[in-house]
Structure formats: structure tokens, C-alpha cells
mmCIF file of all heavy atoms in Angstrom:
data_model
loop_
_atom_site.group_PDB
_atom_site.id
_atom_site.type_symbol
_atom_site.label_atom_id
_atom_site.label_comp_id
_atom_site.label_asym_id
_atom_site.label_seq_id
_atom_site.Cartn_x
_atom_site.Cartn_y
_atom_site.Cartn_z
ATOM 1 N N TYR A 11 16.526 -4.283 -8.463
ATOM 2 C CA TYR A 11 15.271 -3.941 -7.885
ATOM 3 C C TYR A 11 14.284 -3.765 -8.976
ATOM 4 O O TYR A 11 14.585 -3.214 -10.046
ATOM 5 C CB TYR A 11 15.397 -2.717 -7.001
ATOM 6 C CG TYR A 11 16.264 -2.955 -5.784
ATOM 7 C CD1 TYR A 11 17.507 -2.328 -5.666
ATOM 8 C CD2 TYR A 11 15.879 -3.813 -4.792
ATOM 9 C CE1 TYR A 11 18.288 -2.528 -4.567
ATOM 10 C CE2 TYR A 11 16.671 -4.057 -3.685
ATOM 11 C CZ TYR A 11 17.877 -3.448 -3.585
ATOM 12 O OH TYR A 11 18.677 -3.676 -2.542
ATOM 13 N N THR A 12 13.041 -4.169 -8.718
ATOM 14 C CA THR A 12 11.996 -4.105 -9.723
ATOM 15 C C THR A 12 10.650 -3.791 -9.065
ATOM 16 O O THR A 12 10.493 -3.873 -7.806
ATOM 17 C CB THR A 12 11.967 -5.396 -10.529
ATOM 18 O OG1 THR A 12 11.057 -5.265 -11.595
ATOM 19 C CG2 THR A 12 11.542 -6.578 -9.636
ATOM 20 N N GLU A 13 9.721 -3.483 -9.902
ATOM 21 C CA GLU A 13 8.387 -3.069 -9.479
ATOM 22 C C GLU A 13 7.696 -4.180 -8.690
ATOM 23 O O GLU A 13 7.761 -5.355 -9.067
ATOM 24 C CB GLU A 13 7.545 -2.694 -10.710
ATOM 25 C CG GLU A 13 6.279 -2.016 -10.420
ATOM 26 C CD GLU A 13 5.731 -1.271 -11.594
ATOM 27 O OE1 GLU A 13 6.493 -0.840 -12.501
ATOM 28 O OE2 GLU A 13 4.489 -1.143 -11.670
ATOM 29 N N ALA A 14 6.986 -3.801 -7.667
ATOM 30 C CA ALA A 14 6.209 -4.722 -6.849
ATOM 31 C C ALA A 14 4.976 -3.988 -6.330
ATOM 32 O O ALA A 14 5.060 -2.785 -5.941
ATOM 33 C CB ALA A 14 7.021 -5.281 -5.719
ATOM 34 N N SER A 15 3.894 -4.684 -6.257
ATOM 35 C CA SER A 15 2.629 -4.111 -5.794
ATOM 36 C C SER A 15 1.918 -5.196 -4.979
ATOM 37 O O SER A 15 2.019 -6.368 -5.324
ATOM 38 C CB SER A 15 1.781 -3.704 -6.942
ATOM 39 O OG SER A 15 0.579 -3.054 -6.526
ATOM 40 N N PRO A 16 1.247 -4.827 -3.915
ATOM 41 C CA PRO A 16 0.585 -5.854 -3.067
ATOM 42 C C PRO A 16 -0.527 -6.587 -3.800
ATOM 43 O O PRO A 16 -1.296 -6.019 -4.541
ATOM 44 C CB PRO A 16 0.028 -5.041 -1.879
ATOM 45 C CG PRO A 16 -0.014 -3.626 -2.293
ATOM 46 C CD PRO A 16 1.029 -3.456 -3.375
ATOM 47 N N CYS A 17 -0.594 -7.894 -3.486
ATOM 48 C CA CYS A 17 -1.685 -8.705 -4.027
ATOM 49 C C CYS A 17 -3.036 -8.387 -3.334
ATOM 50 O O CYS A 17 -3.039 -7.611 -2.369
ATOM 51 C CB CYS A 17 -1.322 -10.194 -3.894
ATOM 52 S SG CYS A 17 -1.438 -10.792 -2.219
ATOM 53 N N GLY A 18 -4.054 -8.983 -3.797
ATOM 54 C CA GLY A 18 -5.380 -8.677 -3.220
ATOM 55 C C GLY A 18 -5.464 -9.111 -1.757
ATOM 56 O O GLY A 18 -6.039 -8.377 -0.960
ATOM 57 N N ALA A 19 -4.897 -10.236 -1.387
ATOM 58 C CA ALA A 19 -4.972 -10.660 0.026
ATOM 59 C C ALA A 19 -4.197 -9.672 0.932
ATOM 60 O O ALA A 19 -4.666 -9.309 1.990
ATOM 61 C CB ALA A 19 -4.357 -12.086 0.153
ATOM 62 N N CYS A 20 -3.042 -9.209 0.452
ATOM 63 C CA CYS A 20 -2.248 -8.215 1.241
ATOM 64 C C CYS A 20 -3.063 -6.893 1.345
ATOM 65 O O CYS A 20 -3.042 -6.238 2.396
ATOM 66 C CB CYS A 20 -0.936 -7.949 0.624
ATOM 67 S SG CYS A 20 0.179 -9.441 0.839
ATOM 68 N N ARG A 21 -3.709 -6.508 0.263
ATOM 69 C CA ARG A 21 -4.482 -5.262 0.292
ATOM 70 C C ARG A 21 -5.623 -5.398 1.331
ATOM 71 O O ARG A 21 -5.907 -4.439 2.072
ATOM 72 C CB ARG A 21 -5.057 -4.983 -1.100
ATOM 73 C CG ARG A 21 -3.950 -4.607 -2.056
ATOM 74 C CD ARG A 21 -4.470 -4.428 -3.477
ATOM 75 N NE ARG A 21 -3.364 -4.319 -4.409
ATOM 76 C CZ ARG A 21 -3.366 -3.624 -5.539
ATOM 77 N NH1 ARG A 21 -4.465 -2.959 -5.899
ATOM 78 N NH2 ARG A 21 -2.303 -3.527 -6.284
ATOM 79 N N GLN A 22 -6.252 -6.551 1.372
ATOM 80 C CA GLN A 22 -7.306 -6.744 2.360
ATOM 81 C C GLN A 22 -6.773 -6.703 3.780
ATOM 82 O O GLN A 22 -7.407 -6.117 4.669
ATOM 83 C CB GLN A 22 -8.076 -8.067 2.055
ATOM 84 C CG GLN A 22 -9.233 -8.294 2.943
ATOM 85 C CD GLN A 22 -10.338 -7.231 2.816
ATOM 86 O OE1 GLN A 22 -10.820 -6.979 1.775
ATOM 87 N NE2 GLN A 22 -10.683 -6.595 3.926
ATOM 88 N N VAL A 23 -5.643 -7.284 4.018
ATOM 89 C CA VAL A 23 -5.011 -7.265 5.339
ATOM 90 C C VAL A 23 -4.681 -5.820 5.717
ATOM 91 O O VAL A 23 -4.964 -5.394 6.851
ATOM 92 C CB VAL A 23 -3.784 -8.184 5.399
ATOM 93 C CG1 VAL A 23 -2.990 -7.943 6.701
ATOM 94 C CG2 VAL A 23 -4.225 -9.656 5.354
ATOM 95 N N MET A 24 -4.135 -5.063 4.794
ATOM 96 C CA MET A 24 -3.854 -3.647 5.069
ATOM 97 C C MET A 24 -5.112 -2.861 5.382
ATOM 98 O O MET A 24 -5.103 -2.012 6.267
ATOM 99 C CB MET A 24 -3.079 -2.975 3.887
ATOM 100 C CG MET A 24 -1.643 -3.520 3.749
ATOM 101 S SD MET A 24 -0.705 -2.584 2.553
ATOM 102 C CE MET A 24 -1.350 -3.263 1.004
ATOM 103 N N ALA A 25 -6.187 -3.157 4.651
ATOM 104 C CA ALA A 25 -7.446 -2.483 4.920
ATOM 105 C C ALA A 25 -7.943 -2.778 6.338
ATOM 106 O O ALA A 25 -8.465 -1.857 7.005
ATOM 107 C CB ALA A 25 -8.502 -2.932 3.888
ATOM 108 N N GLU A 26 -7.757 -3.988 6.776
ATOM 109 C CA GLU A 26 -8.169 -4.303 8.179
ATOM 110 C C GLU A 26 -7.357 -3.541 9.185
ATOM 111 O O GLU A 26 -7.869 -3.114 10.196
ATOM 112 C CB GLU A 26 -8.073 -5.820 8.410
ATOM 113 C CG GLU A 26 -8.521 -6.136 9.826
ATOM 114 C CD GLU A 26 -9.633 -7.185 9.899
ATOM 115 O OE1 GLU A 26 -10.234 -7.531 8.892
ATOM 116 O OE2 GLU A 26 -9.903 -7.654 11.005
ATOM 117 N N TYR A 27 -6.048 -3.399 8.906
ATOM 118 C CA TYR A 27 -5.222 -2.620 9.850
ATOM 119 C C TYR A 27 -5.628 -1.131 9.875
ATOM 120 O O TYR A 27 -5.569 -0.488 10.936
ATOM 121 C CB TYR A 27 -3.723 -2.752 9.495
ATOM 122 C CG TYR A 27 -3.133 -3.976 10.058
ATOM 123 C CD1 TYR A 27 -3.116 -5.206 9.313
ATOM 124 C CD2 TYR A 27 -2.574 -3.980 11.358
ATOM 125 C CE1 TYR A 27 -2.591 -6.326 9.873
ATOM 126 C CE2 TYR A 27 -2.070 -5.137 11.857
ATOM 127 C CZ TYR A 27 -2.039 -6.325 11.137
ATOM 128 O OH TYR A 27 -1.534 -7.486 11.696
ATOM 129 N N GLU A 28 -6.073 -0.597 8.725
ATOM 130 C CA GLU A 28 -6.633 0.755 8.726
ATOM 131 C C GLU A 28 -7.860 0.802 9.638
ATOM 132 O O GLU A 28 -7.996 1.750 10.452
ATOM 133 C CB GLU A 28 -6.996 1.210 7.314
ATOM 134 C CG GLU A 28 -5.800 1.577 6.485
ATOM 135 C CD GLU A 28 -6.250 2.260 5.137
ATOM 136 O OE1 GLU A 28 -7.399 2.102 4.701
ATOM 137 O OE2 GLU A 28 -5.394 2.965 4.586
ATOM 138 N N THR A 29 -8.745 -0.108 9.513
ATOM 139 C CA THR A 29 -9.980 -0.174 10.340
ATOM 140 C C THR A 29 -9.576 -0.357 11.822
ATOM 141 O O THR A 29 -10.073 0.351 12.686
ATOM 142 C CB THR A 29 -10.882 -1.312 9.936
ATOM 143 O OG1 THR A 29 -11.238 -1.089 8.544
ATOM 144 C CG2 THR A 29 -12.118 -1.422 10.783
ATOM 145 N N ARG A 30 -8.678 -1.253 12.063
ATOM 146 C CA ARG A 30 -8.264 -1.609 13.441
ATOM 147 C C ARG A 30 -7.750 -0.361 14.200
ATOM 148 O O ARG A 30 -8.063 -0.128 15.335
ATOM 149 C CB ARG A 30 -7.188 -2.719 13.394
ATOM 150 C CG ARG A 30 -6.676 -3.075 14.758
ATOM 151 C CD ARG A 30 -5.664 -4.194 14.580
ATOM 152 N NE ARG A 30 -5.032 -4.509 15.907
ATOM 153 C CZ ARG A 30 -4.061 -5.409 16.008
ATOM 154 N NH1 ARG A 30 -3.646 -6.114 14.974
ATOM 155 N NH2 ARG A 30 -3.513 -5.621 17.187
ATOM 156 N N TYR A 31 -6.922 0.415 13.506
ATOM 157 C CA TYR A 31 -6.280 1.582 14.186
ATOM 158 C C TYR A 31 -6.957 2.927 13.820
ATOM 159 O O TYR A 31 -6.556 3.931 14.409
ATOM 160 C CB TYR A 31 -4.781 1.589 13.831
ATOM 161 C CG TYR A 31 -4.032 0.429 14.463
ATOM 162 C CD1 TYR A 31 -3.611 -0.638 13.680
ATOM 163 C CD2 TYR A 31 -3.816 0.340 15.800
ATOM 164 C CE1 TYR A 31 -2.920 -1.683 14.210
ATOM 165 C CE2 TYR A 31 -3.169 -0.724 16.357
ATOM 166 C CZ TYR A 31 -2.734 -1.752 15.548
ATOM 167 O OH TYR A 31 -2.085 -2.816 16.129
ATOM 168 N N GLY A 32 -7.856 2.915 12.906
ATOM 169 C CA GLY A 32 -8.570 4.156 12.594
ATOM 170 C C GLY A 32 -7.719 5.204 11.846
ATOM 171 O O GLY A 32 -7.949 6.406 12.044
ATOM 172 N N ASN A 33 -6.767 4.756 11.052
ATOM 173 C CA ASN A 33 -5.991 5.697 10.297
ATOM 174 C C ASN A 33 -5.625 5.129 8.939
ATOM 175 O O ASN A 33 -5.578 3.935 8.777
ATOM 176 C CB ASN A 33 -4.669 6.026 11.070
ATOM 177 C CG ASN A 33 -3.739 4.857 11.135
ATOM 178 O OD1 ASN A 33 -4.010 3.840 11.777
ATOM 179 N ND2 ASN A 33 -2.582 4.934 10.510
ATOM 180 N N GLU A 34 -5.406 6.016 8.001
ATOM 181 C CA GLU A 34 -4.983 5.606 6.671
ATOM 182 C C GLU A 34 -3.515 5.139 6.660
ATOM 183 O O GLU A 34 -2.707 5.734 7.426
ATOM 184 C CB GLU A 34 -5.138 6.720 5.652
ATOM 185 C CG GLU A 34 -6.552 7.038 5.267
ATOM 186 C CD GLU A 34 -6.603 8.037 4.124
ATOM 187 O OE1 GLU A 34 -5.755 8.955 4.056
ATOM 188 O OE2 GLU A 34 -7.549 7.931 3.373
ATOM 189 N N ILE A 35 -3.221 4.151 5.877
ATOM 190 C CA ILE A 35 -1.860 3.684 5.715
ATOM 191 C C ILE A 35 -1.321 4.203 4.388
ATOM 192 O O ILE A 35 -1.957 4.064 3.341
ATOM 193 C CB ILE A 35 -1.803 2.140 5.786
ATOM 194 C CG1 ILE A 35 -2.241 1.628 7.117
ATOM 195 C CG2 ILE A 35 -0.377 1.666 5.433
ATOM 196 C CD1 ILE A 35 -2.403 0.145 7.225
ATOM 197 N N THR A 36 -0.190 4.808 4.407
ATOM 198 C CA THR A 36 0.467 5.256 3.160
ATOM 199 C C THR A 36 1.246 4.096 2.642
ATOM 200 O O THR A 36 1.951 3.428 3.355
ATOM 201 C CB THR A 36 1.406 6.419 3.420
ATOM 202 O OG1 THR A 36 0.627 7.503 4.005
ATOM 203 C CG2 THR A 36 2.074 6.922 2.149
ATOM 204 N N VAL A 37 1.081 3.788 1.325
ATOM 205 C CA VAL A 37 1.734 2.653 0.689
ATOM 206 C C VAL A 37 2.707 3.177 -0.332
ATOM 207 O O VAL A 37 2.420 3.980 -1.175
ATOM 208 C CB VAL A 37 0.706 1.739 -0.034
ATOM 209 C CG1 VAL A 37 1.380 0.559 -0.679
ATOM 210 C CG2 VAL A 37 -0.433 1.303 0.924
ATOM 211 N N PHE A 38 3.985 2.746 -0.213
ATOM 212 C CA PHE A 38 5.053 3.108 -1.101
ATOM 213 C C PHE A 38 5.381 1.859 -1.927
ATOM 214 O O PHE A 38 5.706 0.787 -1.363
ATOM 215 C CB PHE A 38 6.287 3.569 -0.368
ATOM 216 C CG PHE A 38 6.073 4.858 0.358
ATOM 217 C CD1 PHE A 38 5.736 4.850 1.751
ATOM 218 C CD2 PHE A 38 6.185 6.107 -0.246
ATOM 219 C CE1 PHE A 38 5.554 6.011 2.423
ATOM 220 C CE2 PHE A 38 6.006 7.258 0.435
ATOM 221 C CZ PHE A 38 5.687 7.226 1.770
ATOM 222 N N CYS A 39 5.377 1.957 -3.239
ATOM 223 C CA CYS A 39 5.734 0.826 -4.150
ATOM 224 C C CYS A 39 6.904 1.286 -5.019
ATOM 225 O O CYS A 39 6.839 2.327 -5.658
ATOM 226 C CB CYS A 39 4.532 0.439 -5.020
ATOM 227 S SG CYS A 39 3.155 -0.196 -4.141
ATOM 228 N N TYR A 40 7.906 0.430 -5.063
ATOM 229 C CA TYR A 40 9.049 0.657 -5.894
ATOM 230 C C TYR A 40 8.609 0.443 -7.342
ATOM 231 O O TYR A 40 7.906 -0.485 -7.644
ATOM 232 C CB TYR A 40 10.182 -0.274 -5.573
ATOM 233 C CG TYR A 40 11.441 -0.023 -6.331
ATOM 234 C CD1 TYR A 40 12.442 0.863 -5.786
ATOM 235 C CD2 TYR A 40 11.712 -0.620 -7.555
ATOM 236 C CE1 TYR A 40 13.584 1.083 -6.501
ATOM 237 C CE2 TYR A 40 12.884 -0.385 -8.296
ATOM 238 C CZ TYR A 40 13.820 0.475 -7.731
ATOM 239 O OH TYR A 40 14.957 0.725 -8.411
ATOM 240 N N LEU A 41 8.989 1.334 -8.234
ATOM 241 C CA LEU A 41 8.718 1.214 -9.690
ATOM 242 C C LEU A 41 10.011 0.990 -10.456
ATOM 243 O O LEU A 41 11.034 1.383 -10.016
ATOM 244 C CB LEU A 41 7.970 2.442 -10.167
ATOM 245 C CG LEU A 41 6.696 2.818 -9.442
ATOM 246 C CD1 LEU A 41 6.165 4.172 -9.947
ATOM 247 C CD2 LEU A 41 5.650 1.750 -9.589
ATOM 248 N N ASN A 42 9.886 0.411 -11.608
ATOM 249 C CA ASN A 42 11.108 0.177 -12.412
ATOM 250 C C ASN A 42 11.771 1.543 -12.735
ATOM 251 O O ASN A 42 11.128 2.575 -12.820
ATOM 252 C CB ASN A 42 10.725 -0.497 -13.737
ATOM 253 C CG ASN A 42 10.285 -1.914 -13.515
ATOM 254 O OD1 ASN A 42 10.658 -2.556 -12.557
ATOM 255 N ND2 ASN A 42 9.495 -2.430 -14.412
ATOM 256 N N GLY A 43 13.104 1.503 -12.717
ATOM 257 C CA GLY A 43 13.863 2.723 -13.018
ATOM 258 C C GLY A 43 14.200 3.501 -11.740
ATOM 259 O O GLY A 43 14.711 4.584 -11.827
ATOM 260 N N GLY A 44 13.830 3.021 -10.572
ATOM 261 C CA GLY A 44 14.105 3.705 -9.336
ATOM 262 C C GLY A 44 13.070 4.725 -8.881
ATOM 263 O O GLY A 44 13.264 5.382 -7.885
ATOM 264 N N ARG A 45 11.964 4.807 -9.567
ATOM 265 C CA ARG A 45 10.930 5.701 -9.095
ATOM 266 C C ARG A 45 10.095 5.027 -8.012
ATOM 267 O O ARG A 45 10.138 3.780 -7.861
ATOM 268 C CB ARG A 45 9.989 6.041 -10.268
ATOM 269 C CG ARG A 45 10.674 6.872 -11.389
ATOM 270 C CD ARG A 45 9.768 7.063 -12.572
ATOM 271 N NE ARG A 45 9.134 5.816 -12.713
ATOM 272 C CZ ARG A 45 7.989 5.453 -13.245
ATOM 273 N NH1 ARG A 45 7.285 6.165 -13.764
ATOM 274 N NH2 ARG A 45 7.491 4.320 -13.287
ATOM 275 N N ILE A 46 9.378 5.813 -7.262
ATOM 276 C CA ILE A 46 8.571 5.320 -6.162
ATOM 277 C C ILE A 46 7.181 5.936 -6.285
ATOM 278 O O ILE A 46 7.057 7.140 -6.462
ATOM 279 C CB ILE A 46 9.190 5.649 -4.789
ATOM 280 C CG1 ILE A 46 10.562 4.961 -4.618
ATOM 281 C CG2 ILE A 46 8.265 5.205 -3.648
ATOM 282 C CD1 ILE A 46 11.699 5.855 -4.884
ATOM 283 N N ARG A 47 6.169 5.092 -6.086
ATOM 284 C CA ARG A 47 4.800 5.564 -6.089
ATOM 285 C C ARG A 47 4.333 5.617 -4.605
ATOM 286 O O ARG A 47 4.510 4.670 -3.874
ATOM 287 C CB ARG A 47 3.867 4.620 -6.877
ATOM 288 C CG ARG A 47 2.402 5.106 -6.926
ATOM 289 C CD ARG A 47 1.560 4.259 -7.852
ATOM 290 N NE ARG A 47 2.001 4.496 -9.223
ATOM 291 C CZ ARG A 47 2.212 3.525 -10.092
ATOM 292 N NH1 ARG A 47 1.955 2.297 -9.799
ATOM 293 N NH2 ARG A 47 2.612 3.828 -11.323
ATOM 294 N N LYS A 48 3.713 6.741 -4.243
ATOM 295 C CA LYS A 48 3.174 6.895 -2.910
ATOM 296 C C LYS A 48 1.683 6.942 -3.044
ATOM 297 O O LYS A 48 1.127 7.820 -3.716
ATOM 298 C CB LYS A 48 3.672 8.232 -2.286
ATOM 299 C CG LYS A 48 3.096 8.589 -0.985
ATOM 300 C CD LYS A 48 3.560 9.967 -0.492
ATOM 301 C CE LYS A 48 2.923 10.355 0.793
ATOM 302 N NZ LYS A 48 3.347 11.689 1.245
ATOM 303 N N ILE A 49 0.979 6.030 -2.376
ATOM 304 C CA ILE A 49 -0.453 5.917 -2.440
ATOM 305 C C ILE A 49 -1.003 6.238 -1.066
ATOM 306 O O ILE A 49 -0.633 5.580 -0.040
ATOM 307 C CB ILE A 49 -0.928 4.498 -2.876
ATOM 308 C CG1 ILE A 49 -0.321 4.210 -4.271
ATOM 309 C CG2 ILE A 49 -2.446 4.391 -2.942
ATOM 310 C CD1 ILE A 49 0.289 2.832 -4.350
ATOM 311 N N LYS A 50 -1.906 7.132 -0.951
ATOM 312 C CA LYS A 50 -2.478 7.526 0.289
ATOM 313 C C LYS A 50 -3.758 6.729 0.578
ATOM 314 O O LYS A 50 -4.775 6.934 -0.018
ATOM 315 C CB LYS A 50 -2.828 9.069 0.303
ATOM 316 C CG LYS A 50 -3.343 9.560 1.631
ATOM 317 C CD LYS A 50 -2.226 9.522 2.734
ATOM 318 C CE LYS A 50 -2.756 10.179 3.971
ATOM 319 N NZ LYS A 50 -2.152 9.614 5.124
ATOM 320 N N GLY A 51 -3.644 5.783 1.514
ATOM 321 C CA GLY A 51 -4.772 5.034 1.899
ATOM 322 C C GLY A 51 -5.006 3.783 1.128
ATOM 323 O O GLY A 51 -4.911 3.781 -0.111
ATOM 324 N N VAL A 52 -5.353 2.676 1.765
ATOM 325 C CA VAL A 52 -5.553 1.412 1.145
ATOM 326 C C VAL A 52 -6.800 1.428 0.248
ATOM 327 O O VAL A 52 -6.898 0.718 -0.693
ATOM 328 C CB VAL A 52 -5.560 0.261 2.165
ATOM 329 C CG1 VAL A 52 -5.838 -1.040 1.536
ATOM 330 C CG2 VAL A 52 -4.186 0.244 2.897
ATOM 331 N N LYS A 53 -7.773 2.267 0.591
ATOM 332 C CA LYS A 53 -9.015 2.338 -0.216
ATOM 333 C C LYS A 53 -8.680 2.697 -1.683
ATOM 334 O O LYS A 53 -9.439 2.343 -2.581
ATOM 335 C CB LYS A 53 -10.019 3.293 0.365
ATOM 336 C CG LYS A 53 -10.711 2.681 1.617
ATOM 337 C CD LYS A 53 -11.975 3.443 1.949
ATOM 338 C CE LYS A 53 -12.594 2.982 3.193
ATOM 339 N NZ LYS A 53 -13.043 1.616 3.240
ATOM 340 N N SER A 54 -7.592 3.414 -1.883
ATOM 341 C CA SER A 54 -7.161 3.699 -3.293
ATOM 342 C C SER A 54 -6.748 2.426 -4.012
ATOM 343 O O SER A 54 -6.828 2.360 -5.236
ATOM 344 C CB SER A 54 -6.005 4.697 -3.275
ATOM 345 O OG SER A 54 -6.464 5.966 -2.908
ATOM 346 N N LEU A 55 -6.266 1.405 -3.280
ATOM 347 C CA LEU A 55 -5.830 0.158 -3.859
ATOM 348 C C LEU A 55 -6.944 -0.900 -3.857
ATOM 349 O O LEU A 55 -6.917 -1.828 -4.656
ATOM 350 C CB LEU A 55 -4.614 -0.401 -3.118
ATOM 351 C CG LEU A 55 -3.314 0.362 -3.182
ATOM 352 C CD1 LEU A 55 -2.301 -0.193 -2.244
ATOM 353 C CD2 LEU A 55 -2.793 0.344 -4.630
ATOM 354 N N LEU A 56 -7.895 -0.759 -2.928
ATOM 355 C CA LEU A 56 -8.914 -1.767 -2.749
ATOM 356 C C LEU A 56 -10.231 -1.021 -2.402
ATOM 357 O O LEU A 56 -10.639 -1.018 -1.211
ATOM 358 C CB LEU A 56 -8.516 -2.754 -1.633
ATOM 359 C CG LEU A 56 -9.419 -3.972 -1.418
ATOM 360 C CD1 LEU A 56 -9.324 -4.898 -2.645
ATOM 361 C CD2 LEU A 56 -9.040 -4.655 -0.144
#
């Protein structure tokens, strides 16, 4: 398992889902070494 983060197109799609449903989406990304990053809201990514 290795680090992965959403591309720009995926971030834009997630942003639209936040708008569509009126709620922030929490994003979890696996990081190298087994750590996990938790990001509150797509606006932090885009």
C-alpha cells in the first residue's frame, strides 16, 4: 500500500457533491508507512 491523493478532476467532483448535499466531505488519504491523513472538507484540497 502506498500514498494516494485525489487528482484535480476528482477534487472538483467531490466539491460538487459537497454543494449538492450541503455538507462537508471528510477525505482520508493513505500515507506511506501506514499513516492516514484526515482532511475536513474538500475546500481544504481545492
